[in-house]
Amino acid sequence: MIRWGILGTAGIVKSAFLPALHETRTGVAWHIGSRDLARAEQFAKDYNVARASGSYQAVLDDDQVDAIYIPLPNHLHYEWTLKALQTGKAILCEKPLTGSLAQTQEIIERAQQRHALLWEAYAFQFQPQWQRVEELIRQGAIGAPQEIHGTFNTVLARTDDVRWVKAFDGGAFNDLGCYPVHITSLLLKDTPHQVIAQALMKGEVDGAMWGMLTYPDQVQLMMNVSFFRRYDTFTRFVGTEGEIRITKMYHPGARDAIEWRQGNRVIYEYPMKGQLPFTDMLSHIHQVLRQECQPVQLVTDVGLPTAQTMELVRRSWHELPSFA
């Protein structure tokens, strides 16, 4: 069994990480750390984690831990990913890896120097739905790509959520916009040469953002993300000879389809088999650590274009007046 160390008790640990870890049947939550020892001990008791500590460093120092999961607030990713790299253990860090290009570049350089196994937690890129979409596009199923329409909306109602705090690298673009940017980076393996974007501010951070990014060969990403709209991750890939529509792009279930259109012809495919969103990602990491396959989607391979694009958008957008 692959033994995981977990830094912090964030909600995503119990809602997404632990259920998927159990579903893999090849990994176990071994050690959880929190700045509050009582909180770590209660979490370990409630969720059957073998060990609990009152610090993150104690988890990194545990020789029995094989892999580290970092679900901390965005502004802590940089510090604790660098510290985790020193252990030589495999690392899965929540997205975005950092809130700045300079910090991401430093982490990538350190990871390359150490030949580290470092992944960013874009679970969709390990799922058969995305793999099938990518395969169809690369095989020419929609002709030459022309447009990508990327939406990610959700209602963030809690006013005390860390994603409303600028110092914590909050904002809708960091939290949600990284997804359509990353999809486009994976598909085009490039960065845009032109950005037109607007950000609707709420206090110090963007509560919503709209953008049109133009890539080489005039391929365009048209994206919108928001903390004020009902949940929606509709994504559309338009080419010269057809298009692919995905209703649930990032956390698909068994009933969610790839809708592939060519003229009057519409084909529906259902690549997902009912697995939880994180399961394919964790299963891949376990296979790599058991030396059963070669790693894919490492940050050192796919992370830089996304970080470069994110930085370009943040520097380019026009801020609409804050309403709170």
Side-chain angles (χ1 to χ4, degrees):
M1 299 288 279
I2 302 301
R3 293 176 172 178
W4 282 87
I6 305 165
L7 306 191
T9 58
I12 197 170
V13 178
K14 59 185 178 183
S15 67
F17 179 82
L18 291 179
L21 184 63
H22 177 74
E23 189 171 64
T24 69
R25 300 184 181 277
T26 54
V28 62
W30 179 253
H31 196 164
I32 189 160
S34 170
R35 291 172 294 182
D36 183 334
L37 177 58
R39 178 180 294 179
E41 290 176 336
Q42 187 62 51
F43 191 98
K45 179 180 178 181
D46 291 344
Y47 296 98
N48 196 31
V49 183
R51 299 186 63 185
S53 293
S55 75
Y56 305 142
Q57 189 62 48
V59 177
L60 301 186
D61 293 339
D62 187 339
D63 291 338
Q64 294 184 302
V65 166
D66 303 305
I68 302 293
Y69 177 46
I70 304 177
L72 297 169
N74 293 343
H75 71 297
L76 296 177
H77 292 177
Y78 169 74
E79 173 187 356
W80 287 99
T81 299
L82 286 179
K83 289 180 177 179
L85 284 170
Q86 297 175 12
T87 69
K89 305 178 193 296
I91 305 164
L92 175 65
C93 181
E94 271 303 325
K95 32 57 54 186
L97 185 64
T98 79
S100 80
L101 176 59
Q103 289 182 340
T104 298
Q105 286 175 319
E106 182 180 352
I107 287 176
I108 289 175
E109 289 172 3
R110 298 278 188 94
Q112 289 172 333
Q113 291 167 2
R114 294 176 173 273
H115 304 287
L117 294 172
L118 170 61
W119 288 272
E120 199 169 1
Y122 291 107
F124 76 86
Q125 62 189 353
F126 297 91
Q127 295 167 353
Q129 175 178 269
W130 167 249
Q131 292 168 356
R132 179 56 175 154
V133 169
E134 191 173 30
E135 179 184 48
L136 285 170
I137 293 173
R138 299 206 184 284
Q139 289 177 346
I142 61 171
Q146 293 180 312
E147 298 175 359
I148 300 168
H149 300 247
T151 296
F152 200 154
N153 298 321
T154 192
V155 176
L156 191 60
R158 283 181 47 192
T159 57
D160 61 343
D161 194 291
V162 296
R163 287 169 287 181
W164 290 122
V165 181
K166 184 176 182 179
F168 291 176
D169 291 332
F173 183 60
N174 274 346
D175 192 58
L176 308 175
C178 57
Y179 281 92
V181 167
H182 191 59
I183 275 185
T184 308
S185 296
L186 290 176
L187 192 61
L188 303 181
K189 302 187 183 305
D190 215 329
T191 55
H193 56 74
Q194 183 181 42
V195 172
I196 301 172
Q198 289 186 320
L200 176 63
M201 306 303 290
K202 178 176 171 59
E204 294 184 323
V205 303
D206 57 296
M209 175 267 172
W210 301 265
M212 183 171 71
L213 286 59
T214 304
Y215 289 76
D217 297 323
Q218 297 303 109
V219 180
Q220 292 185 328
L221 166 62
M222 287 171 280
M223 61 180 290
N224 66 279
V225 299
S226 176
F227 282 154
F228 308 123
R229 298 181 179 179
R230 66 176 178 81
Y231 184 82
D232 178 17
T233 60
F234 179 77
T235 304
R236 182 170 171 240
F237 304 89
V238 181
T240 54
E241 298 178 18
E243 65 180 77
I244 294 170
R245 299 177 180 182
I246 310 293
T247 300
K248 202 168 183 181
M249 184 69 246
Y250 306 117
H251 300 102
R255 297 182 179 181
D256 295 306
I258 294 171
E259 181 182 331
W260 169 24
R261 292 172 171 258
Q262 281 188 324
N264 295 324
R265 183 185 183 207
V266 182
I267 299 172
Y268 293 92
E269 297 185 14
Y270 298 83
M272 299 296 289
K273 305 303 179 186
Q275 65 269 49
L276 294 168
F278 274 33
T279 300
D280 293 310
M281 176 172 64
L282 296 181
S283 292
H284 173 71
I285 294 172
H286 295 172
Q287 291 168 357
V288 171
L289 293 180
R290 295 197 305 266
Q291 299 184 333
E292 295 173 357
C293 71
Q294 292 298 309
V296 298
Q297 311 295 15
L298 291 170
V299 171
T300 46
D301 295 330
V302 301
L304 188 56
T306 297
Q308 290 171 327
T309 302
M310 296 285 288
E311 187 85 351
L312 181 59
V313 172
R314 284 189 291 258
R315 290 181 178 180
S316 302
W317 70 32
H318 169 68
E319 292 187 2
L320 300 177
S322 175
F323 60 88

